[in-house]
């Protein structure tokens, strides 16, 4: 016997170690104030949204949703972004000219 007769303790010691590690992970994961899920999203400026381009600056969120729906109906993927300057409707650069034309309405 390599442990001098204490080999029967190996299973319970390993089980207690696993439970202790899981308890520490759960305590860290559910601690208040450090979770990324609970943090309120921060609002950025118009230029802080990567590749997306602003195509409209509606006065409120209700108007922005109406405009976003028009773009979605036309097959253009649009994102409504709450910026520090108010809501902005953003699309990818390749869709921006078509989106602006669609939002301007029919020209005649």
């Amino acid at each position: 016997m390599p442990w001098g007769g204490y080999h029967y303790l190996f299973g319970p010691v390993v089980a207690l170690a696993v439970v202790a590690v899981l308890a520490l992970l759960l305590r860290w994961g559910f601690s208040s104030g450090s979770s990324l899920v609970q943090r309120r999203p921060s609002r950025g400026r118009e230029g802080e949204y990567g590749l997306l381009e602003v195509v409209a600056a509606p006065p409120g969120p209700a108007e922005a949703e109406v405009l976003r729906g028009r773009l979605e109906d036309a097959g253009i993927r649009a994102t409504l972004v709450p910026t520090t300057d108010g809501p902005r409707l953003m699309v990818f650069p390749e869709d921006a000219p078509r989106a602006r034309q669609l939002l301007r309405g029919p020209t005649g």
Side-chain angles (χ1 to χ4, degrees), residues 93-108:
E94 60 270 8
D95 295 329
R98 194 169 133 228
R100 286 188 184 103
Q101 181 181 6
L102 181 69
L103 293 176
R104 257 187 261 135
T107 56

Side-chain angles (χ1 to χ4, degrees), residues 13-69:
V13 169
V14 170
L16 286 174
V18 169
V19 168
V21 168
L22 286 176
L24 288 174
L25 285 174
L26 288 172
R27 183 180 175 126
W28 172 72
F30 288 104
S31 63
S32 63
S34 63
S35 175
L36 294 176
V37 175
Q38 294 176 354
R39 185 172 50 178
R40 294 186 66 102
S42 61
R43 294 174 186 239
R45 294 185 306 269
E46 291 179 7
E48 295 179 349
Y49 289 93
L51 295 175
L52 298 176
E53 287 187 19
V54 176
V55 293
E63 295 88 352
E65 278 297 329
V66 170
L67 294 177
R68 189 185 67 77

